[in-house]
Amino acid sequence: MTTFTLGEREIRDAVPMNEAIDAVRRGFLDLAAGEFEMPTRTALRDGQFLVMSAHHRPTASAMIKTLSVNFGRTPAIAGSVVWSETGRPDQLVATAGTVTALRTGAAVGVATDLLARPGAARLTLIGAGGQAPDQIRAVHAVRPLRRLTVVDTDPRRAETLVETVQSELPGVELRTASDAESAVGDAEIVCCATSATAPLFPASALPERVHVNAIGAYRPTMRELPAELLADSAVVVDELGAVLEESGEVIHALGAGVLTEDALTELGTALAPPSAAAPSSGARLAEATGRTVFKTVGVAVQDWAVARLLADKFLP
């Protein structure tokens, strides 16, 4: 048996964002079809250590990710993704931080493609940390941008992010800001990628028609979005069991009585193609309200989808 070990450069060179988006979309569809075994992830020390796993029955393949999270260090995420399958004697080990950023961006790309208004081209990104570049790349892949505003409490960090992605966004107007409330006022798409423990802006600050992605809060003690926004929006989540256990926004809104579980739609269900008996959930969501929200805490099927791409490219 040979173990193929991949670092950030090998992963980035092998998997462009559009391929990651397509792979993660297929993964969520398979999840909705019941083709995965995917236990709820193990979280230790209030989420500082995480273990995630997924088994895809049709391909007899499995992925296990172990990582540590520390927002006081760079990179904040460190660990490994291990891929194996019964049909191949070799295994693949990939850097968890890179896979996590890529797959989280890809999920946002899938949700934005489904829920954002066609032609939406003004993105406000709140948070300029390690997840931020792939949030921009994913949104730009499905809704080509005309304007990007990066918001961070550290102006230099926002400027550095803009400089990092500038060459990938020719012709796009690039801005930085320090006040999230004013920066979302005319956005068509908002991405939240922070470690906030309180809402980043009031619901009233948003336009009447906007799509919001929230990826940063992955523990019950964390929140990026106000409960009023969830109450007034069509809400799509990555996986119901995961958000009920881990999403501070969803847990708070349910506890406040402004949101019910049956108002939450899983992404895989929303992606399912329409039929005569069951119109597309995604179409119904888009028609239901001017505001849509995608709340993700991150689930193992996303990591499996990117790891499968890597395995197909690197394993014999």
Side-chain angles (χ1 to χ4, degrees):
M1 182 185 78
T2 301
T3 298
F4 291 79
T5 303
L6 306 178
E8 178 174 9
R9 189 70 273 148
E10 291 94 343
I11 297 167
R12 294 289 181 187
D13 289 344
V15 183
M17 181 56 75
N18 63 320
E19 288 188 21
I21 290 171
D22 289 343
V24 168
R25 182 184 290 112
R26 292 192 300 271
F28 274 111
L29 284 167
D30 281 1
L31 179 64
E35 294 185 347
F36 278 96
E37 291 179 80
M38 189 178 73
T40 301
R41 69 179 164 201
T42 299
L44 306 173
R45 198 176 173 86
D46 192 29
Q48 291 183 37
F49 299 94
L50 302 172
V51 181
M52 307 169 66
S53 60
H55 165 232
H56 188 238
R57 295 185 182 93
T59 58
S61 59
M63 183 285 314
I64 298 175
K65 180 170 78 171
T66 59
L67 56 84
S68 64
V69 183
N70 182 344
F71 294 113
R73 74 181 180 206
T74 302
I77 295 173
S80 61
V81 171
V82 180
W83 165 277
S84 60
E85 58 184 291
T86 58
R88 286 171 168 157
D90 302 316
Q91 70 173 2
L92 180 143
V93 179
T95 301
T98 307
V99 171
T100 300
L102 185 57
R103 61 80 145 156
T104 305
V108 161
V110 173
T112 300
D113 194 31
L114 177 71
L115 298 169
R117 179 181 62 81
R122 297 191 300 270
L123 168 64
T124 294
L125 169 67
I126 306 174
Q131 301 293 313
D134 285 303
Q135 297 293 294
I136 298 168
R137 293 174 184 128
V139 172
H140 188 54
V142 298
R143 293 293 187 275
L145 297 175
R146 291 195 302 271
R147 192 184 78 195
L148 166 67
T149 303
V150 176
V151 182
D152 199 278
T153 54
D154 181 345
R156 181 56 194 154
R157 195 158 78 147
E159 292 164 4
T160 299
L161 175 58
V162 165
E163 292 167 2
T164 298
V165 300
Q166 186 171 13
S167 64
E168 302 175 49
L169 303 172
V172 177
E173 180 185 356
L174 303 175
R175 302 178 176 180
T176 62
S178 57
D179 179 57
E181 183 171 346
S182 60
V184 301
D186 64 347
E188 294 170 305
I189 303 167
V190 175
C191 288
C192 304
T194 75
S195 57
T197 56
L200 299 167
F201 49 79
S204 59
L206 291 164
E208 286 304 309
R209 188 167 189 184
V210 65
H211 173 63
V212 180
N213 300 299
I215 71 147
Y218 68 99
R219 300 299 297 148
T221 52
M222 303 170 74
R223 290 171 63 200
E224 294 182 301
L225 305 180
E228 294 77 16
L229 175 60
L230 300 185
D232 189 39
S233 303
V235 182
V236 175
V237 300
D238 47 11
E239 199 269 331
L240 185 60
V243 297
L244 292 178
E245 182 168 320
E246 298 181 335
S247 168
E249 293 99 341
V250 170
I251 292 168
H252 180 85
L254 290 171
V258 300
L259 185 69
T260 60
E261 286 186 30
D262 59 9
L264 304 173
T265 302
E266 290 187 335
L267 182 56
T269 300
L271 290 167
S275 66
S280 166
S281 298
R284 291 200 306 270
L285 286 163
E287 293 168 0
T289 177
R291 292 176 175 175
T292 54
V293 170
F294 175 54
K295 175 58 203 172
T296 174
V297 293
V299 291
V301 64
Q302 299 164 239
D303 302 287
W304 174 90
V306 172
R308 183 183 185 184
L309 286 178
L310 293 169
D312 287 344
K313 292 176 186 248
F314 286 96
L315 296 188

